[in-house]
Amino acid sequence: MKREAFNAKNAPQPRGGYSQAVRLEDFQRLLLVSGQIPASSDDTVPAGFEAQARQVWLNVDAQLKAAGMTKADIVKVTTYLADRHHTSANREIRSEYLGSLAPAMTVVIAGIFDGAWLLEVEVVAAQ
């Protein structure tokens, strides 16, 4: 698969480890991962944003692994935050997980399905 990132010079530049656009060519598999919630397999929701964010990324990893993929295959991330005050912590934890990977990305401040959840993350992966 060929992956190419684009950050047009005449548009806002990305801040925080993402690309404004990602073009894929010659991929064979596409995985759409539903919004992953901050709950473990026994439905325990950790306290605090940082713990919830780490749980969400563990859940993303589990879905990728089940499909025979890894985080290196992520091409798009959409994050839903319950409160804009979590943006810095979200960026930091997401960066820990993604490392140098810079997928296309959107962050939305939204009412989340369960009031105990402080975020939800969905990803698109391709190989």
Side-chain angles (χ1 to χ4, degrees), residues 82-102:
D83 190 313
R84 74 181 61 254
H85 293 101
H86 299 305
T87 56
S88 292
N90 176 62
R91 184 180 302 121
E92 181 179 316
I93 294 164
R94 182 188 64 230
S95 293
E96 286 174 17
Y97 175 77
L98 292 175
S100 64
L101 186 64

Side-chain angles (χ1 to χ4, degrees), residues 54-75:
R54 286 187 173 85
Q55 182 63 58
V56 161
W57 288 109
L58 287 171
N59 294 344
V60 167
D61 248 0
Q63 300 307 329
L64 291 168
K65 184 177 180 180
M69 298 174 122
T70 70
K71 67 182 176 182
D73 299 316
I74 295 173
V75 296

Side-chain angles (χ1 to χ4, degrees), residues 37-39 43-49 51-53 56 82 86 111-120:
I37 62 172
D43 286 331
T44 301
V45 176
F49 182 83
Q52 287 195 19
V56 161
H86 299 305
I112 297 184
F113 182 77
D114 187 313
W117 303 343
L118 300 176
L119 77 161
E120 188 170 340

Side-chain angles (χ1 to χ4, degrees), residues 9 12-13 19 22 29 33 51 57 67 74-75 79 87 96 102 115-116 126:
K9 300 288 185 214
Q13 294 305 297
S19 299
V22 176
R29 297 182 343 146
V33 180
W57 288 109
I74 295 173
V75 296
T79 302
T87 56
E96 286 174 17

